Amino acid sequence: MEEELSAWAVGVLSTLMAGLGLFLWARAVDGPMGLFGFGLVVFGVAFDFWLLKRHFDLAEVRIHGKEGR
């Protein structure tokens, strides 16, 4: 339970980071800030998808009792 709660907290933080990146990307007046904002968006979204994959992999292990591929 504690592991799932920390994953939720990290997921919320990475979503907020992606939102900040989207704001920076949209409001950028120079290239480097826009690139940094884009990087935050990509990282936040990719990290959230990784957390989802990890969650379902752990759920599959709990159901089947063995490691999947």
Side-chain angles (χ1 to χ4, degrees):
M1 178 69 177
E2 188 174 311
E3 183 177 314
E4 291 180 19
L5 183 61
S6 65
W8 273 96
V10 171
V12 167
L13 287 176
S14 68
T15 302
L16 290 174
M17 185 175 59
L20 173 67
L22 192 60
F23 179 77
L24 289 174
W25 187 21
R27 304 286 291 171
V29 293
D30 58 347
M33 186 56 75
L35 188 62
F36 179 70
F38 177 73
L40 282 178
V41 170
V42 169
F43 177 77
V45 170
F47 193 76
D48 280 339
F49 274 109
W50 178 78
L51 283 173
L52 282 170
K53 178 196 175 300
R54 183 173 171 257
H55 168 77
F56 286 112
D57 286 347
L58 289 174
E60 184 177 356
V61 167
R62 278 186 235 132
I63 291 171
H64 298 294
K66 61 181 178 182
E67 289 283 330
R69 287 211 258 169

